[in-house]
Amino acid sequence: MLNALVALMNFVVIPATAYGAQLALGALGVTLIYGILRFSNFAHGDTMAFGTMVTILLTWALQAAGVSLGPLPTALIAMPVGILGAAALLLLTDRFVYRFYRAQRAAPVILVIVSMGVMFVYNGLTRFVIGVDDQRFADGERFILSANAFRDWSGLDEGLALRTTQAITIVTAIIVVAALFWFLNRTRTGKSMRAFSDNEDLALLSGISPERVVMVTWLLVAALATIAGTLYGLDKTFKPFTYFQLLLPIFAAAIVGGLGSPIGAIAGGFIIAFAEVAITYPLRKILSYLLPEAWEPAGLVQLLATEYKFAVSFIILIVVLLIRPTGLFKGKAV
Amino acid sequence: MCPPARDGTTEDEPVTDAYSDRGNKDRSIANPRDGASMSSSLKGEATPSTETAFLAGIDMTGGYGRGADILHACTVSVDPGEIAVIVGPNGAGKSTAMKAVFGMLDLREGRVVLDGQDISRLSPQDRVAAGMGFVPQVRNIFTSLTVEENLEMGAFLRRDDIRPTMEQVYDLFPILRDKRRQPAGELSGGQRQQVAVGRALMTRPKVLMLDEPTAGVSPIVMDELFDRIIEVSRTGIPILMVEQNARQALEIADRGYVLVQGRNAFTGTGRELLADPEVRKSFLGG
Ligand SMILES: Nc1ncnc2c1ncn2[C@@H]1O[C@H](COP(=O)(O)OP(=O)(O)O)[C@@H](O)[C@H]1O
Ligand SMILES: [Mg+2]
């Protein structure tokens, strides 16, 4: 029984929580853009890739120079610069691409297509600089709690491991989300962003400057995307194509939670992550501890092969769109 | 941030899809036109009281975008201490006239004067900064923000201490003080209108424009709102408002304008209009 619980923690709960935090941060970026700029930004995955790439390049330079954070990954020092890099890229894109369409009050569909074009440009840029292959940049202590250490300490058959990157992901996500909500709910600029998102015309009649709101939005998005991307890269590996693929679970998270709703983005991130991990994980081991020997399942009890993990996001997305198009937290209808 | 922006009061704004809440199709109020160039020609034959009024839209002609003209030489004005009321049938162009005075559509002819200055070329934002407060007919509050945040956003342009003004608004509308931490979208119709008026008052405007402030509220709440509006007017702020409830509105009006198909059909003091048999027959139901 305890063994089942530990196995569940080890193989489902902890990985899904870390992954959920990464998706939530990604979905927050998507939802902010949707709330303020009113379009679904297909370039978001590649924005994450770009910010992460800048972080990685600096991390390598720091590692070469012998700088280190001890047990923590060096990438944490490099991340602020990655954020600045992503911010510069986003602001330049806004200045030369999105602003043009905004001035014409272009329909959101047009902006979505434009963002796809931007996506291809970012995509090429990242591949051109760092290549298409897997890159490893994690360093420092690998485990906070290793499976063997846990087994020795508890006397159970099952081990429980907590990787440093998982812990860092969860802690960072909590800090970032708390800071974001403080900003949106307590500061004048944050409130003006919410007001703009709520009722653009009235915001203008109140003297809120749209260009400033848009600029602050891109800055926040740069930070969220780079942090999400770096945490994901530390936890798994960095490969530009994977970041493009992340678009689906991230959009699913944002839409499931309700586009435009930050709380929804967080909830959506965890829903998608838990569903994906639980459905693609072979539950046999956990069941074998719970059921009498005679009932022990013959197969792996894996509901879907890992290759199909994106199908999970997709199915959840479709179901939510059919049943509750505004998402769980009443965002704007898609 | 964003429960849906729709607030259920969108009566003259067809909702097509989620993307349509990009706002109305008026000339973009996001593109400030700079500089108040003084228009020199004072050709109009307007009555003296209009010429010298604190706020006046004079001989306004124009429509939305490239569409046909909706206003035809329409004139409205108001002076300090006064309440000016625009009445008229649905679709007469009352809201359009208000938007024109606020710079939300291009005028082909005519001009808008505030405190002796021609402000025809100012953007709506610049008109806010110049001291005009406007409560639109629909979508006039931030539904997902709390009552207090709505008031704060009203004062966005101010850099001084806004607490005293907020207290004044709460004194004027005591119910808002009790509800200040509630999302404005959760309030009743009458309370929302109070939030809308309160938001506009937060800039400490020199003139207040209200488009149907009593739309969709019960008769009791309507009387209450009228009382509050009179109270605001007593503080010296000129009020230009559109009203559906013509009779009640004209009773408190120092100036009344009956608009029909974008033209001034009748103009006079509220009492004159109420006494005019023609007006009574056509617009006040006998
Ligand atoms: N945003 C808009 N774009 C184009 N036409 C509009 C718009 N708003 C109103 N109209 C048209 O302008 C005319 C006057 O409308 P409006 O000023 O809202 O009338 P009122 O407020 O007197 O009921 C109507 O024919 C209406 O269809
Ligand atoms: Mg109207």
Side-chain angles (χ1 to χ4, degrees), chain A residues 121-203:
Chain A
V121 174
Y122 287 6
N123 208 309
L125 191 64
T126 307
R127 280 157 209 235
F128 179 74
V129 176
I130 204 169
V132 298
D133 299 326
D134 266 335
Q135 311 288 347
R136 284 197 34 79
F137 62 106
D139 54 5
E141 200 68 53
R142 230 172 105 59
F143 288 102
I144 288 181
L145 177 65
S146 80
N148 283 331
F150 179 83
R151 262 192 291 261
D152 291 347
W153 171 80
S154 67
L156 293 173
D157 294 339
E158 277 302 318
L160 182 67
L162 180 62
R163 291 210 306 277
T164 315
T165 52
Q166 292 169 330
I168 288 177
T169 294
I170 294 165
V171 172
T172 311
I174 291 172
I175 294 172
V176 167
V177 167
L180 180 68
F181 277 81
W182 174 83
F183 177 79
L184 290 176
N185 290 314
R186 293 277 174 271
T187 67
R188 201 173 95 99
T189 307
K191 287 176 194 175
S192 74
M193 286 177 63
R194 283 165 52 226
F196 186 88
S197 165
D198 181 315
N199 189 338
E200 187 176 335
D201 291 328
L202 194 60

Side-chain angles (χ1 to χ4, degrees), chain B residues 49-281:
Chain B
S49 72
T50 300
E51 277 300 325
T52 56
F54 186 78
L55 172 70
I58 302 163
D59 291 337
M60 300 184 297
T61 300
Y64 295 92
R66 291 179 199 290
D69 283 349
I70 289 175
L71 300 177
H72 305 278
C74 170
T75 294
V76 292
S77 68
V78 67
D79 258 325
E82 283 184 354
I83 297 177
V85 173
I86 307 174
V87 299
N90 254 327
K94 304 183 296 293
S95 295
T96 306
M98 295 291 266
K99 290 182 195 168
V101 172
F102 212 75
M104 291 162 77
L105 56 123
D106 278 322
L107 285 183
R108 267 182 278 277
E109 274 167 51
R111 60 209 158 83
V112 181
V113 176
L114 175 71
D115 202 3
Q117 302 250 322
D118 187 316
I119 57 164
S120 306
R121 300 190 57 79
L122 284 190
S123 72
Q125 285 104 310
D126 290 338
R127 293 183 201 209
V128 175
M132 294 171 69
F134 181 33
V135 178
Q137 181 175 358
V138 292
R139 311 231 305 131
N140 50 20
I141 58 170
F142 300 109
T143 49
S144 63
L145 271 58
T146 64
V147 169
E148 185 148 304
E149 286 170 341
N150 267 274
L151 300 184
E152 283 174 37
M153 288 302 108
F156 191 80
L157 284 176
R158 285 175 53 184
R159 281 307 192 163
D160 54 337
D161 185 13
I162 63 168
R163 296 287 339 165
T165 318
M166 200 177 274
E167 281 308 314
Q168 284 167 8
V169 170
Y170 285 149
D171 289 343
L172 189 64
F173 304 118
I175 187 73
L176 298 187
R177 183 181 278 121
D178 302 335
K179 309 236 168 190
R180 64 183 185 277
R181 306 241 174 274
Q182 262 191 47
E186 288 176 4
L187 305 189
S188 71
Q191 293 164 354
R192 283 163 170 241
Q193 295 293 11
Q194 299 181 16
V195 174
V197 175
R199 185 203 61 83
L201 286 173
M202 286 302 294
T203 47
R204 281 186 304 191
K206 287 190 256 173
V207 54
L208 188 60
M209 296 168 55
L210 310 171
D211 193 347
E212 299 204 18
T214 64
V217 306
S218 69
I220 299 170
V221 176
M222 188 181 83
D223 287 344
E224 169 84 17
L225 274 170
F226 274 145
D227 286 347
R228 294 289 92 79
I229 290 167
I230 293 170
E231 212 171 304
V232 173
S233 155
R234 294 255 164 76
T235 66
I237 301 179
I239 294 177
L240 175 63
M241 70 176 189
V242 173
E243 255 305 323
Q244 274 289 311
N245 308 291
R247 190 181 292 275
Q248 267 117 325
L250 288 176
E251 273 164 14
I252 63 167
D254 301 287
R255 299 179 190 216
Y257 298 92
V258 181
L259 234 60
V260 179
Q261 290 184 351
R263 293 186 170 83
N264 290 92
F266 300 92
T267 304
T269 65
R271 203 168 294 123
E272 281 165 9
L273 291 178
L274 282 171
D276 186 322
E278 193 93 29
V279 174
R280 292 174 71 96
K281 189 154 69 75

